[in-house]
Amino acid sequence: MEYFLQQLINGVTLGSIYGLIAIGYTMVYGIIGMINFAHGDIFMVGSFIALMTIILLGITALTPAFILLAALLLVLVLTMVFTAVWGWTVERIAYRPLRGSFRLAPLITAIGMSIALQNFVQTSQGATNKPLQPLISGGIKVIEGIVSDRVFVVQLSYMQMIIIVTTLVLMAAFTALISKTSLGRSQRACEQDQKMAALLGVDVDRTISLTFVMGAALAAVAGLMFLLYYGVIDFYIGFLAGVKAFTAAVLGGIGSLPGAMLGGLLIGLIETFWSGYFSSEYKDVAAFSILVIVLIFMPSGLLGKPEVEKV
Amino acid sequence: MSNWQKNPILTIEHMTMRFGGLVAVNDLSFDVGRKDITALIGPNGAGKTTVFNCITGFYKPTEGRLSMNRNSGQEYLLERMPDFEIAQKAGIARTFQNIRLFGGMTVLENLMVAQHNTLMDASLFTFGGIFGISSFKNAEKQAIENAKSWLERIDLIDRADDPAADLPYGAQRRLEIARAMCTEPEILCLDEPAAGLNPNESNQLNQLLHKIREEFGTSILLIEHDMSVVMEISDHVIVLDYGEKISDGTPDFVKNDPHVIAAYLGVEDEEIEAVEEEVKKEKSS
């Protein structure tokens, strides 16, 4: 039981990170029907920007707790802003010129962009792992007990708490943004009928750009969390995280925001439980097998709407 | 001299639209009078909807000049503007023959999207809104008020929070017109607003159009097949056939124009004269 709880906490933490990245995939797919394969690498760029900001601000584990939290908040904001600029630029130079071209064209540039970003970071930052000493250590003991003469502790580290809380806050804010504000409304309008939205005076290009900006900002948050949680990043982390998050988006029903969050959580949980109970080598196989099984029975994902033929 | 010549809000000069080898609209010129109800009629395939598409920026005309003279006196050349600016700056809004509502959004949200620009300006691209600046909240409140007043006009206030796709056909039509009006246009372009409506719904629609004209002074340009409607409500009728203008004038003038009769009844060119005489006879009798 204690073991289960511990795995649950770990799984939710990992799932939060996947969920944040998955939102970027699902939003872009929703609005222009394209899979942005470079999104995982935007996440990677985000984690590098976070690392640089942390080093530049001189934050170390010795910084007093209160200042540390304030500084990390500043890092969060800066990372979001700079990564958003990257997201905007990628859309502007690689996708917008191809809008209106045939469907596969932006897909190919997306893959190209992904490789370009990886190689750019590899050559400019070096191919070695970039470590960061743990900034936030410690945690609280949720359950402490004795199971067959062994002391068993279920621990929720402060880092995990920060990740889960930040994700919850951001997702709530984001859902409100999409459902309540004028920007969110025009975004949903563009999802349904771009031409009609334009005829009502909505600047479709700008709305699409803002979608990329928001997706990149959320990926940046995931990048920072990943960096703080695992303490090591390299130029290649975007690939696997990107594929997992994409899987999460498809599992939840691509195009659906709550679906992306749910899918991220599920993928995180499946992975953690599989490595916890069976073997950690096959955790990816487990996650992708579940995806295959779900898609066989629910082709549009868990929360996705079945595609309606437009007449 | 008629109103559309004296005081045009929209002037179209020598507009041609080609799709490859097909000439959909050929050298078309006409004026739309300020505050008039102008009808664009013609047999199927005459190019009416193409004219609409060119005016509203859906297509870019191959040749020609389309100038919009706003009530403020500002002039806009529509053929040079990107589509979203035509609604935003030139003040032109339209509806479609096959209704294009945002079906997945609520009735109220459909009207809110149309007020996007006023809201975006007031909220500094939403960022002001996120930080709770009060002018944004007021703008949002006003937009909701405005949307609700439109829902009352079109009798849909009870269904404000239903998805637009769930409304009956006639109500969707009225909602689409209300949505177009929420962009505060000076010309409202309606593509076959009465198509597929039953007599009752069609009556409601006529009332709505009259209300719009009286309350807002909006100029209306419409495509319509129902001749009784056209003759009853319009001040100015333009007839197209095979992409060319064959008649232009008051409803009475057009009704008796032999070219129009020929186009509708489908007679050979030589027979036009015969028809002309027949009309003359009818008038004298």
Side-chain angles (χ1 to χ4, degrees), chain A residues 177 181-184, chain B residues 119-120 123-131 136:
Chain A
L177 179 79
T181 68
S182 179
L183 175 63
Chain B
L119 280 175
M120 281 307 238
S123 67
L124 308 164
F125 304 113
T126 304
F127 294 111
I130 294 173
F131 299 115
F136 168 72

Side-chain angles (χ1 to χ4, degrees), chain A residues 177 179-186 188-190 192-204 206-207 210 311, chain B residues 56-58 83-84 87-88 92 94 96 100 102-105 109 112-114 116-117 119-120 125-126 130 140 179 183:
Chain A
L177 179 79
S179 61
K180 294 272 160 58
T181 68
S182 179
L183 175 63
R185 274 193 300 266
S186 49
R188 280 179 291 146
C190 287
Q192 296 192 14
D193 190 341
Q194 281 185 22
K195 206 69 198 183
M196 190 64 234
L199 289 176
L200 291 173
V202 176
D203 186 340
V204 175
R206 190 160 72 198
T207 310
L210 282 171
V311 190
Chain B
T56 50
F58 214 79
D83 48 9
F84 68 92
Q88 203 176 59
I92 296 180
R94 78 171 286 183
F96 284 85
R100 285 177 83 158
F102 303 118
M105 296 168 79
E109 278 176 339
M112 296 293 283
V113 171
H116 165 88
N117 286 307
L119 280 175
M120 281 307 238
F125 304 113
T126 304
I130 294 173
E140 178 95 2
R179 184 179 66 177
T183 64

Side-chain angles (χ1 to χ4, degrees), chain A residues 41-291:
Chain A
D41 298 285
I42 290 288
F43 154 78
M44 179 269 296
V45 168
S47 68
F48 269 85
I49 291 176
L51 179 64
M52 285 180 218
T53 328
I54 287 173
I55 292 169
L56 279 178
L57 290 177
I59 302 170
T60 62
L62 299 174
T63 317
F66 179 70
I67 300 175
L68 181 67
L69 272 184
L72 281 181
L73 206 63
L74 182 64
V75 172
L76 180 76
V77 172
L78 288 175
T79 312
M80 282 171 84
V81 169
F82 284 108
T83 316
V85 173
W86 276 86
W88 181 84
T89 315
V90 166
E91 192 269 340
R92 193 70 189 77
I93 63 176
Y95 305 147
R96 192 184 292 185
L98 290 170
R99 204 166 297 147
S101 148
F102 69 110
R103 260 182 92 91
L104 282 178
L107 203 71
I108 304 294
T109 44
I111 294 171
M113 207 64 223
S114 159
I115 296 169
L117 284 176
Q118 274 175 29
N119 283 297
F120 168 70
V121 173
Q122 185 187 10
T123 45
S124 62
Q125 301 296 319
T128 50
N129 286 348
K130 300 280 175 291
L132 176 75
Q133 51 168 316
L135 294 180
I136 299 168
S137 46
I140 48 167
K141 286 166 185 159
V142 185
I143 298 173
E144 207 171 354
I146 298 168
V147 180
S148 54
D149 300 336
R150 256 183 336 122
V151 180
F152 212 105
V153 180
V154 175
Q155 202 170 27
L156 175 63
S157 72
Y158 291 131
M159 195 58 235
Q160 286 174 323
M161 271 163 72
I162 290 175
I163 291 178
I164 295 169
V165 169
T166 313
T167 309
L168 284 179
V169 169
L170 276 173
M171 285 183 175
F174 193 72
T175 313
L177 179 79
I178 294 294
S179 61
K180 294 272 160 58
T181 68
S182 179
L183 175 63
R185 274 193 300 266
S186 49
Q187 206 166 25
R188 280 179 291 146
C190 287
E191 259 175 47
Q192 296 192 14
D193 190 341
Q194 281 185 22
K195 206 69 198 183
M196 190 64 234
L199 289 176
L200 291 173
V202 176
D203 186 340
V204 175
D205 278 339
R206 190 160 72 198
T207 310
I208 293 175
S209 285
L210 282 171
T211 308
F212 276 84
V213 163
M214 285 190 283
L218 289 179
V221 179
L224 173 64
M225 299 302 173
F226 185 92
L227 173 70
L228 292 177
Y229 193 49
Y230 291 104
V232 57
I233 55 172
D234 62 51
F235 71 97
Y236 203 59
I237 56 166
F239 178 72
L240 199 61
V243 170
K244 292 272 178 58
F246 173 57
T247 310
V250 174
L251 181 66
I254 196 147
S256 145
L257 284 180
M261 300 173 196
L262 179 71
L265 217 54
L266 282 178
I267 294 281
L269 286 172
I270 293 166
E271 244 190 75
T272 320
F273 277 112
W274 189 275
S275 30
Y277 284 100
F278 302 105
S279 89
S280 62
E281 278 107 70
Y282 288 108
K283 61 176 185 178
D284 296 342
V285 175
F288 293 122
S289 308
I290 298 280
L291 172 78

